[in-house]
Every structure is written in structure tokens, then in C-alpha cells.
Amino acid sequence: MTAPLLIFAYGNPSRGDDALGPLLIERLEALNPPNVELLTDFQLQVEHAADMLGRERVLFVDASVSCAPPYAFTRLTAAKDTSYTSHAMSPAAVLQAYRELYGEPPPSYLLGVRGHAFELGEPLSAAAASNLESAQALLQKLCASPSHQAWDQFIMPPEKTI
Amino acid sequence: MTFELETAAHPENLKRVVIEPVSRVEGHGKVTLLLDADNHVHQARFHIVEFRGFEKFIQGRPFWEVPVIVQRLCGICPVSHNLGAAKAMDMIVGAKLTPTAEKLRRLMHLGQVLQSHALHFYYLASPDLLFGFDSDVAKRNIVGVAAAYPEIARQGVALRKYGQEIIKLTSGKRVHGTGAVPGGVNKNLTLAERYALLKDIDQMIAWSRDAVDLIRKVYCETPDFHNGFGFFKSSFMSLVREDGALDLYHGGLRAKDQNDQIIFDHLDYSHYWDQVHEEVRPWSYMKFPFIRSMGRENGWYRVGPLARVNNCDFIPTPLAEAERKTFKEFGGGMAIQSTLAYHWARMIEMLHCAEGIKELLHDGDLLGDELVTKGERSLRGVGVIEAPRGTLIHHYRINEDELIVRANLIVSTTHNNQAMNEAVRQVALKYLDGNELTEGLLNHIEVAIRAFDPCLSCATHALGKMPLEVELWDAEGKVVDRMERGSAGSCGV
């Protein structure tokens, strides 16, 4: 059966703080939250729209180069943008692809965790490790919240997301 | 042949047009054209300008690491490198694979080719084919296809996802898994996984048939145009099974010349260098392979779906074989030489993959638990596989400490190097000669390159636009015309 909540983290584990998303998924896997499917990949692509089929909510998790530490939690809207490639897309573009392919997408959110260093082969930076702890605490609260209406209370004002 | 367009006699007197980057596959590609005052093409070259050096990086690594490491060559077909290297390592560990290991590898490979062909056809090529080469650049992308042809786009997405699911279940991950190891595989398939894949396979076969129908219809609506676009004749090379059947995983090497005559057949690929030599040219980091017996001028060849479908005696799955016969009839019984026929052949192969996956999923050997074997150790290993884009050669030598001391990789795009140059020259001559530069005309060159599905097309056809920067220089070295196409697909002069 399709889990009602999909948490989809993306990033390259070999590129320093870009590993934040996949690391958060690893931690959630260990906690095994009910009614949640956890997926991870290097980048977002068109076919990830198909992963959203049948969900009540979708949460994208990514390292952010610009948000205020430790993280930004926002609601996503589908949007045509310039990110359509065979390699990588933005979450808004994936939602737009979903809309074109399957109709209105489920309520979707983005958790951007502030990263600081993205060099190939580098480990997670100390600052990112701290942000990861905070993000994990939020993720656990989100997994325990029953509806997207309940999630809206965690949405951060625009000034906090830079 | 248009070899005379490879090196102009007096380049100092000619205007230089540079298309850069053409791509970012394992780096950067560019096209350079040298034109006279009337914009007639005197030289056309397709360059891969990045130095990769992967063969050097892996020297000193333990051989058993290699099947995992080499996947980092490519995020598009990592499974092909995993399997090519693993086959070479099978030779080094002296393994004869168990039926379970070989069939799991074959399943993984068919899933890989299915998803790669779906990616190329629906995401990269279909916008050109459905909207036209000169159509609005803003809609020449998969989302544009989704808006205009949602059912086609849905099928493309689902086919790619299905192929990736096979990769994930057989190798552990969608990208950079660890399925094939020296002497076998490291996991089998559970009953539940097999059932999950079987549930959707008939739909995948049906959609693959639809894809063949679509490309055949597009091709045959304007056969003169499709046959003539970037047309040239060449030899072809591919693996074939012992009985001459198309085989994507294993076989002997077969090459046919441009008149459909056999050059060599069932060649043991562990001695590929007896027949294939690699030439280096100063203006490209990519080598130019050629068949030794035919010499460097005439011995170049094409690989990939067109080569495979042209070369094989039959396809061992019924629906794809019927489509191959139709394809063959279209060519009057001879090999089809048209560049755009790659798309048609690619979809016939996708149908074969879907059928092959179904056959394998019904095979009980997939559930076996004899996964790895080994035998007498050797210091040399060669693995060859038919990757989505064509013949892929992995060749390694190790020392007594089991460390890699030498590696040589000939990837599909390298085999097609001369042919892609030839396609660029043909298109430049026909469509750019005497014309001013426009986005649509530049896209004609990209369409020709893209038909080969070189790794570089994956990145560059983003959003129906390769990011391009084109400059027209006069003989005094002054820029007289300039055009940019940004990552958003907009054009500016």
C-alpha cells in the first residue's frame, strides 16, 4: 500500500554538506516512522513526479545554500521554471510536471537545511552537523503530525527563509 | 565522404564559428565550423574537449573495487560500467557465472537499457520529433511534451521509472548500486520483488510497442527527409550471440562494412585489439577508433542501436523481431544508414528489453542463492557489453598484489566519434551553408549529434535547449556575429 506521506531527500553524499538530505533519511530510517515512505536520490528528475502518486502529503528535503540556519520549512507551489533538464529539477518544477501529467499535486513542502561547504570528497561541516540535528527534530514532529493543516503551523515566514 | 571537411587547407583565411558548449557529458563538447566569406563550410569538427583520465585514477586500486568505482564515470548508465568492469573481473578471478548470477545481471542490464532508451526518446528526442527542429524552443522539452501530449509523456515517465526500479531491486540503488561483483552478483531477487515487477510488465511491453509505432509513423510520414538528414554510409560494429541473435549482455564482435558485408564475425572480444585500433588526433581528447584491416581512413564505424539492429540476424523476442523485419524491409533488405534511424532502432530495442524482462521474471533461476563463483586467477581481464549507446569495452591488467596497473576503456561515444563528426559535417553542409545563424539551424546540428545519444546529449538537451554560445569571426580575428542561448533556452544576439 502506498504510504500517505512521502519524504524525498536529494543530494550527493560525496559533496560535503550536500549530504544533508540523504543523511536525514538515514536517521529517519533508523526511527522507522509509521505511514511514511522514505526515498532518496542524487537529484530530482521528471519521473519523481510518479513517486508522488497516491500521497496525502509530500516533503522534499534538500541542503540549502541560502536559507537562514538551521533550516527553512516552506509550502511549495507548482511552477514552470528553468530547471527542466534530464539531470536535475527544482521541487516546484517536479510539481509542475506532476500537474501536467496527473492533475493537481498533493500538498507539498520543502525543508531546506542550511549547508555551508559543498566540496567533492569533504565530510559534513560542523555547522551543517548542528543544522542537521535541528532539522531532524522538526522532521520527527512533522512525522507525528496527522495532517497538512497541522504542518502549516511549522511554516516559516519569508524573512526567515531569505 | 566529407573527410575534406575535417581539415581546411587555409584555415587562417576563414571565419570561425564555435558552438560551445555542446554538452557537459563527462565534460564539455563543442562544434567548430570554418566558413568562407560566403558562409560556405570548409571545416567542421565535433570536439570533446575535457580530459577525463579515469584510466589513470584507478591505477593502484584493488581490482575488486573497480566495478563499483567505474560507475562514477557516468550518472546516466552506471550499470553498464558496473557490468562491463565486472565481466572483466570475472576473467581475472576465473569465474564461470552461475545461472542465477548471469540472469540477474541480464535483468539488471535490460532494466538499464530500457530506462536509458526511454529517457532519451521521451525526454530528449521526442520534442524535436513531435514539435519539429525549428519549433518554439520554450516547448522543446519533456514538460512541453507533457503539456501537448500528456499520455505519451506519462508513458515515458513510467517506462523510465520501471527500468530504474529493476536497477534498484537488482543492484540495491537506482544510481551507483553494487549489484555485479567479480564472479557474480551480491543479491538475488525475492519473490515479492519479482511479483512487484511482474505486475506491470505487460503494460511496459504495450507502451514500448506504442513507442515503436510512434517513431515508425513519424519516420515514415516524411521518409525522404528522415533518410536524408545527416545521411552518410559507414560500417557497423556490435556484439552478437553465437547464433547471430541480438544480445545486449554477451557475445562475439561482428562488424559489417557499408555494403552490408561481414568484416569480422564472432570475434573473441578478449583480443579486441587485433581488430580495433585507437587513433589520437590533436584537436580532441577523444580517441578515434578504427578497424585495423580497413585502415584509419575507411575503418571507422558506428555502434549503438542502429548498429545492433542492422548487424544481428534476428532479435530473440517475438514482438521486437517483427518490428526488426519491418525496419529491414524499409531499408530494402539492406542495413539502414540514416542517422535519424537510430531513434527507430532504439525503440525496437526498448521493446526487446521489455519482452526480455518478462521472460527473465518468469525464470526460477532468479531466486537461486548461488551468487558468486571463482576459479583460476588471471592477471588480465576484458569485459565487453552492449551499453545503451553501444559497445563498451573495459580492459584491465593487475599485478601480483591484485592492484590495477593498466586500464583501457573504450566507451560507446568514443566508437561513434568519427561518425558524429561526419553527421555534423553533413548537416552543416546542407543546412548552414550560405545561411545566417539561427537557433533553429543550430538545433539541426544538435539533432544530428543527439540521434547517437552520446552521453553529452543528456545534459545539453535540457529543456529542449543546449546552452550555446556561437561566435562568427572574420579573417582578421574580429567577431562579426554572436549569438547566445542561455540555460533558460532564450536566444540573444
Side-chain angles (χ1 to χ4, degrees):
Chain A
M1 199 186 81
T2 305
L5 170 59
L6 169 68
I7 301 181
F8 189 109
Y10 53 101
N12 186 339
S14 302
R15 295 199 80 102
D17 295 350
D18 204 30
L20 277 164
L23 284 172
L24 279 164
I25 289 293
E26 276 181 25
R27 290 188 173 204
L28 282 185
E29 276 171 344
L31 297 170
N32 196 21
N35 302 316
V36 181
E37 185 170 353
L38 304 167
L39 288 177
T40 183
D41 215 326
F42 279 47
Q43 292 157 325
L44 286 178
Q45 297 179 329
V46 174
E47 63 270 18
H48 292 137
D51 288 318
M52 299 169 62
L53 280 166
R55 311 290 182 179
E56 290 176 13
R57 274 167 291 161
V58 176
L59 173 61
F60 293 93
V61 183
D62 187 20
S64 167
V65 294
S66 59
C67 75
Y71 56 74
F73 180 64
T74 53
R75 179 84 182 254
L76 285 166
T77 50
K80 272 190 180 172
D81 65 17
T82 58
S83 71
Y84 301 128
T85 77
S86 64
H87 274 71
M89 297 171 73
S90 71
V94 173
L95 262 58
Q96 179 65 26
Y98 185 103
R99 181 178 280 168
E100 303 279 11
L101 293 166
Y102 311 115
E104 207 48 36
S108 301
Y109 300 79
L110 173 65
L111 175 61
V113 187
R114 179 60 192 263
H116 303 271
F118 293 82
E119 288 304 308
L120 193 62
E122 289 297 309
L124 201 67
S125 69
S130 166
N131 299 340
L132 182 141
E133 296 295 334
S134 305
Q136 185 186 340
L138 175 68
L139 273 174
Q140 287 177 242
K141 284 185 207 164
L142 292 172
C143 288
S145 298
S147 66
H148 70 87
Q149 289 87 351
W151 280 32
D152 288 344
Q153 66 178 304
F154 297 104
I155 290 176
M156 300 166 71
E159 65 270 21
K160 288 286 283 179
T161 61
I162 304 186
Chain B
M1 294 301 155
T2 50
F3 265 116
E4 66 273 17
L5 285 183
E6 181 159 295
T7 303
H10 298 288
E12 67 280 3
N13 297 327
L14 297 168
K15 292 185 288 192
R16 186 178 186 81
V17 177
V18 181
I19 303 176
E20 185 182 24
V22 178
S23 106
R24 108 186 218 299
V25 220
E26 327 302 352
H28 236 58
K30 72 173 179 180
V31 171
T32 60
L33 307 170
L34 296 188
L35 312 177
D36 64 20
D38 297 322
N39 283 341
H40 295 308
V41 179
H42 286 252
Q43 179 178 298
R45 289 173 173 175
F46 172 51
H47 316 247
I48 303 291
V49 294
E50 183 177 88
F51 177 66
R52 187 171 55 202
F54 212 87
E55 286 95 336
K56 278 285 175 200
F57 300 157
I58 56 175
Q59 284 183 14
R61 306 302 308 176
F63 78 84
W64 44 266
E65 279 186 354
V66 172
V68 173
I69 293 176
V70 293
Q71 294 184 81
R72 303 292 166 160
L73 275 163
C74 181
I76 302 300
C77 53
V79 171
S80 304
H81 289 295
N82 177 229
L83 288 170
K87 286 181 78 177
M89 297 313 153
D90 293 344
M91 199 182 284
I92 283 176
V93 300
K96 183 178 185 315
L97 295 189
T98 65
T100 298
E102 180 172 334
K103 286 171 185 174
L104 280 162
R105 282 192 189 180
R106 283 181 176 274
L107 178 64
M108 189 194 311
H109 190 43
L110 291 176
Q112 153 76 355
V113 178
L114 180 100
Q115 69 87 20
S116 178
H117 281 5
L119 167 74
H120 182 263
F121 183 70
Y122 292 98
Y123 291 27
L124 306 179
S126 76
D128 292 321
L129 300 169
L130 294 172
F131 300 135
F133 302 174
D134 296 308
S135 60
D136 176 10
V137 70
K139 69 174 184 180
R140 279 205 312 257
N141 56 72
I142 179 63
V143 180
V145 174
Y149 303 95
E151 184 52 31
I152 289 174
R154 273 194 289 272
Q155 291 174 10
V157 168
L159 280 159
R160 174 151 159 78
K161 190 167 164 54
Y162 185 84
Q164 286 179 312
E165 198 59 24
I166 289 178
I167 293 169
K168 187 176 146 193
L169 294 177
T170 51
S171 76
K173 295 197 311 190
R174 282 179 184 171
V175 181
H176 301 150
T178 56
V181 295
V185 294
N186 69 5
K187 82 181 282 291
N188 62 3
L189 217 58
T190 66
L191 266 174
E193 288 167 342
R194 191 169 68 149
Y195 173 75
L197 292 173
L198 271 171
K199 195 163 52 71
D200 295 327
I201 188 58
D202 286 330
Q203 184 63 76
M204 299 303 141
I205 292 172
W207 284 340
S208 298
R209 284 185 89 172
D210 290 345
V212 183
D213 287 344
L214 174 64
I215 185 61
R216 187 181 56 240
K217 188 168 162 233
V218 167
Y219 201 96
C220 294
E221 271 176 0
T222 50
D224 292 343
F225 170 76
H226 282 84
N227 279 331
F229 184 87
F231 175 85
F232 58 90
K233 287 185 137 192
S234 78
S235 303
F236 293 104
M237 187 177 81
S238 64
L239 288 177
V240 289
R241 206 167 70 181
E242 267 181 21
D243 57 1
L246 180 138
D247 196 323
L248 298 171
Y249 177 74
H250 193 64
L253 286 167
R254 170 182 285 178
K256 287 183 178 178
D257 68 16
Q258 58 178 289
N259 298 313
D260 237 4
Q261 300 301 304
I262 293 281
I263 305 167
F264 54 80
D265 204 359
H266 302 299
L267 177 77
D268 175 0
Y269 63 61
S270 66
H271 293 276
Y272 68 90
W273 55 85
D274 289 343
Q275 289 290 348
V276 176
H277 185 73
E278 297 172 90
E279 185 195 3
V280 176
R281 295 186 194 172
W283 48 271
S284 176
Y285 279 121
M286 197 152 65
K287 291 177 180 176
F288 288 77
F290 62 88
I291 294 167
R292 282 178 186 271
S293 61
M294 299 180 74
R296 59 175 289 278
E297 288 280 322
N298 302 312
W300 57 278
Y301 51 88
R302 280 181 275 185
V303 300
L306 185 63
R308 293 188 289 245
V309 173
N310 274 333
N311 264 2
C312 71
D313 298 330
F314 66 100
I315 298 178
T317 54
L319 298 175
E321 170 60 5
E323 296 294 344
R324 186 197 67 85
K325 285 179 175 166
T326 304
F327 184 78
K328 190 91 176 170
E329 282 165 20
F330 184 84
M334 297 287 286
I336 294 182
Q337 296 276 355
S338 161
T339 295
L340 292 179
Y342 261 100
H343 297 300
W344 189 352
R346 191 171 287 118
M347 291 302 93
I348 293 172
E349 284 196 337
M350 188 168 80
L351 177 57
H352 164 64
C353 290
E355 291 182 284
I357 287 165
K358 183 174 180 179
E359 281 181 11
L360 279 170
L361 288 174
H362 283 291
D363 193 318
D365 282 341
L366 286 185
L367 306 175
D369 51 13
E370 287 184 58
L371 302 182
V372 180
T373 57
K374 59 183 178 182
E376 192 176 333
R377 184 62 56 89
S378 165
L379 294 179
R380 184 176 69 83
V382 180
V384 177
I385 195 162
E386 283 296 332
R389 291 157 188 82
T391 313
L392 171 65
I393 299 174
H394 278 243
H395 178 190
Y396 303 94
R397 184 171 286 280
I398 65 168
N399 62 18
E400 297 294 344
D401 296 326
E402 302 192 335
L403 303 177
I404 301 289
V405 293
R406 183 178 178 276
N408 188 40
L409 273 59
I410 310 180
V411 304
S412 318
T413 301
T414 304
H415 290 294
N416 279 332
N417 191 5
Q418 183 69 50
M420 289 189 290
N421 269 281
E422 199 58 32
V424 167
R425 287 172 200 142
Q426 295 292 346
V427 172
L429 265 184
K430 188 166 182 178
Y431 293 99
L432 297 189
D433 225 27
N435 291 299
E436 66 173 311
L437 298 172
T438 65
E439 198 283 330
L441 283 173
L442 294 177
N443 191 46
H444 280 60
I445 287 184
E446 295 165 14
V447 165
I449 297 170
R450 204 172 287 135
F452 291 85
D453 189 17
C455 270
L456 53 105
S457 81
C458 307
T460 52
H461 192 31
L463 262 182
K465 83 270 172 205
M466 291 185 188
L468 295 178
E469 185 178 322
V470 180
E471 289 183 340
L472 194 60
W473 296 63
D474 67 14
E476 281 75 48
K478 242 172 52 185
V479 177
V480 294
D481 192 9
R482 185 167 185 279
M483 193 168 89
E484 279 184 357
R485 190 165 63 193
S487 59
S490 58
C491 287
V493 177

